[in-house]
Amino acid sequence: PAARAHRRERGQSRSGRAEAHAGGRQPGRRRREMSFAIFQQLTQHSVIDACLFASFTSPEATNLIVNKGNCIEVYDVQKRSGKLAFAFSAPLFGRPEALGTFRPRPGGPDHLAVVLRRARYLAVLRYSPSLGNVQTCGQHLLVAPDDPASVAGPPGFRAQVAVDPGQRCLAVRVLPDRVLVFPVAAGASWQQEAGPAVFQ
């Protein structure tokens, strides 16, 4: 009787392990867990980080460009009535650290230079009438990934953008001791595949 009870217990334990394997993971295989991130802005930005005037939507327009967090808002300045008319808003892939406008063509509209991600990248935006919004027309790397300065910049330092009054060049101060100068050729627009030379 003792031998029969022992055999019954062994049979029950084997069937229990088989049921566990059938209902759960198979032996010898690891469970693959997938992870992902979701970003959604819950509230609208209310703090103005920067603003400037430019002829952004057309050469004759007077626009007020307002930066709120990772978004820019463009307004039409109505000089006769002294009011602002909202034109459009555009989200950006990051929070700008510096803004500047320049005019690549005489008599043309202004372009917007945006410095992003700890002064690592420079994005050039222009207004597209067909889209009714901004369009990226240039992207430039300011600090190389293998540069020690790309890990963490000096505390309290903010990048700066300056434009030559003659619209001949655009200067970006990416570090306290580093300034990059982008020549702006007359009559040519900044294209993504044909970046201008950079001088340090």
Side-chain angles (χ1 to χ4, degrees):
R4 293 178 182 177
H6 180 67
R7 284 195 296 268
R8 283 197 299 269
E9 292 176 359
R10 291 178 58 187
Q12 292 175 358
S13 62
R14 289 178 181 176
S15 61
R17 286 197 299 268
E19 292 175 358
H21 290 160
R25 293 186 304 169
Q26 296 183 1
R29 294 186 180 182
R30 295 181 179 179
R31 177 182 295 177
R32 295 182 179 180
E33 297 182 357
M34 299 181 64
S35 61
F36 57 91
I38 297 177
F39 173 79
Q40 181 176 356
Q41 185 173 320
L42 300 179
T43 59
Q44 296 294 330
H45 293 288
S46 59
V47 178
I48 296 177
D49 297 319
C51 61
L52 47 83
F53 286 101
S55 298
F56 189 62
T57 56
S58 70
E60 298 80 17
T62 301
N63 302 118
L64 174 65
I65 302 177
V66 178
N67 170 219
K68 296 180 180 180
N70 64 335
C71 179
I72 60 170
E73 298 177 353
V74 179
Y75 296 85
D76 293 326
V77 180
Q78 301 176 354
K79 297 182 180 180
R80 292 184 178 180
S81 60
K83 297 180 180 180
L84 294 176
F86 177 78
F88 64 89
S89 64
L92 302 175
F93 292 97
R95 190 166 188 164
E97 294 191 2
L99 298 174
T101 59
F102 67 97
R103 182 164 295 185
R105 296 194 311 271
D110 293 331
H111 287 191
L112 181 64
V114 184
V115 180
L116 300 166
R117 295 184 182 179
R118 296 182 181 178
R120 296 181 186 177
Y121 302 98
L122 172 67
V124 180
L125 308 178
R126 66 183 175 189
Y127 177 74
S128 174
S130 60
L131 298 176
N133 212 310
V134 297
Q135 181 182 27
T136 303
C137 59
Q139 294 179 342
H140 306 275
L141 182 65
L142 300 178
V143 180
D146 56 351
D147 193 320
S150 65
V151 179
F157 173 78
R158 290 187 62 87
Q160 295 175 313
V161 176
V163 182
D164 172 38
Q167 304 294 318
R168 295 170 296 181
C169 62
L170 174 73
V172 182
R173 188 184 183 190
V174 297
L175 292 171
D177 57 351
R178 188 180 306 180
V179 177
L180 304 182
V181 180
F182 294 85
V184 179
S189 61
W190 281 26
Q191 299 296 331
Q192 194 165 1
E193 64 274 7
V198 179
F199 301 93
Q200 296 191 24

